[in-house]
Amino acid sequence: MSSEEFEKLHEIYKSLYEEIKLMPERALTCHGEERKRMVRTFDERHGETDEVLQGMEEELRSAPSSYRNAMSTKLRMYRRDLGKLQRDMKNSAPGFNPSSQTSEGSRHGIYSSQNQQSTHLQSQRALLLHGTDSLNNASQSIERSQRIAAETDQIGTDIIEELGEQREQLDRTRNRLADTGENLSRSRKILRTMSRRLVTNKLLLGVVILMELAVLGAVVYLKFFRRAN
C-alpha cells in the first residue's frame, strides 16, 4: 500500500464531498434547466466520488490489518454518507435517475476517460490546495521568526541602552571618587599645616613663658638681693 497515494485519494474525496453535499438542498430552490444542470453535475461528481472510494478500497487491501480495519470503518461511513446524498437528491429532484451503477466484482468506473481526466484534475486541485496550505504555513512560520527576531533586536537595544546608562553611572562614581581623593589630599595638607602651626605656637608660648620667667627673676633679684647688698 502506498500511504501517499491513499492520502491523496482521501484529500480528493473530501474535496468532492464538500462540493456535492449541499447540492440536494440547493436543488430544492432550482427549477427547469438550472435544476437539470444541478442534477447532471451532482451525477458526475457523485460518480467521481464513488470511483475515488473504490481506489481507496483497492489501496487498503495491501495495508496492515490494524490500519485497514480502522480505515475500512471510515470508508463504510463514507459510503453511507454518499448513499444518503444520493437519496436526498432523489427526494429533491424527482426526475433524478442516478447512473452510478457498478456491476458486482467489477472495478470499472461509470465514466469514460473524460471522467478519469476530471478525477485527475481534482487530484491536481487537491495537491494545489495542499501546496497552498504548506506555503501559508511557511509564511506564518517566517512571520513568527521575523517577529521573534524583532523582539530579540529590541531586547538587545534595551540591554545596550541599559549598559550605556550603567557606564555613565560608573563614570560619575569614578569622578566623585576622584573629587573625594582631591578633597582628602587638601584636608591632609590643611591638617599638616595646622599641626605645624600648633607646634610653632607651642614653641612661641614656651619662649614667651621663659622670657617672662627671666624678666620676673631679674626683677626679683634687683629688688631684693641687690638692695640687700
Side-chain angles (χ1 to χ4, degrees):
M1 169 191 172
S2 172
S3 59
E4 182 179 354
E5 182 67 21
F6 184 86
E7 291 300 327
K8 183 172 69 174
L9 290 172
H10 194 198
E11 291 296 326
I12 296 172
Y13 168 80
K14 289 192 293 185
S15 176
L16 288 170
Y17 186 80
E18 288 295 322
E19 185 177 352
I20 66 174
K21 70 178 183 179
L22 296 179
M23 286 186 178
E25 183 178 348
R26 289 202 296 265
L28 291 172
T29 60
C30 297
H31 303 281
E33 290 298 323
E34 185 178 0
R35 175 179 287 184
K36 291 180 181 179
R37 286 195 299 271
M38 179 73 69
V39 168
R40 284 196 299 270
T41 302
F42 177 85
D43 193 23
E44 292 175 359
R45 297 294 181 266
H46 186 277
E48 293 170 6
T49 308
D50 184 72
E51 288 184 0
V52 170
L53 287 179
Q54 290 181 23
M56 294 171 69
E57 290 169 349
E58 182 69 24
E59 289 292 329
L60 278 181
R61 292 176 185 174
S62 58
S65 58
S66 58
Y67 183 79
R68 184 170 62 248
N69 292 336
M71 294 310 298
S72 294
T73 302
K74 184 172 290 189
L75 284 177
R76 284 194 295 272
M77 183 181 66
Y78 291 164
R79 284 285 185 191
R80 186 176 63 249
D81 294 342
L82 203 59
K84 183 178 181 302
L85 283 179
Q86 192 176 55
R87 290 191 298 274
D88 291 344
M89 179 58 79
K90 285 182 180 180
N91 295 331
S92 300
F96 174 62
N97 184 22
S99 61
S100 53
Q101 304 289 335
T102 54
S103 61
E104 183 178 359
S106 173
R107 195 178 174 275
H108 179 66
I110 355 172
Y111 292 100
S112 60
S113 58
Q114 180 179 1
N115 288 329
Q116 294 177 358
Q117 183 180 6
S118 177
T119 302
H120 178 71
L121 290 176
Q122 291 290 340
S123 172
Q124 295 299 319
R125 184 175 66 177
L127 291 176
L128 180 60
L129 291 174
H130 180 71
T132 303
D133 291 339
S134 299
L135 183 60
N136 290 334
N137 292 334
S139 299
Q140 293 175 0
S141 178
I142 291 174
E143 289 177 359
R144 286 193 299 270
S145 299
Q146 290 176 342
R147 186 165 58 251
I148 292 172
E151 292 174 356
T152 304
D153 182 67
Q154 183 61 42
I155 292 172
T157 302
D158 294 341
I159 291 174
I160 291 174
E161 291 178 355
E162 184 177 355
L163 289 175
E165 293 175 357
Q166 292 179 357
R167 180 179 178 181
E168 291 177 358
Q169 292 176 357
L170 290 174
D171 290 338
R172 288 194 296 269
T173 302
R174 184 178 60 187
N175 293 333
R176 284 196 296 268
L177 289 174
D179 294 339
T180 303
E182 293 177 358
N183 292 332
L184 288 175
S185 298
R186 286 194 295 270
S187 299
R188 283 195 295 269
K189 290 179 181 180
I190 293 171
L191 288 174
R192 283 196 296 269
T193 302
M194 293 176 63
S195 177
R196 285 195 296 270
R197 288 180 180 177
L198 182 61
V199 172
T200 302
N201 291 336
K202 286 182 178 181
L203 289 175
L204 291 173
L205 182 60
V207 171
V208 170
I209 291 173
L210 289 175
M211 290 177 65
E212 288 180 351
L213 289 175
V215 170
L216 182 61
V219 170
V220 170
Y221 174 77
L222 292 174
K223 186 174 183 179
F224 295 102
F225 292 100
R226 193 164 181 181
R227 180 180 300 180
N229 293 331

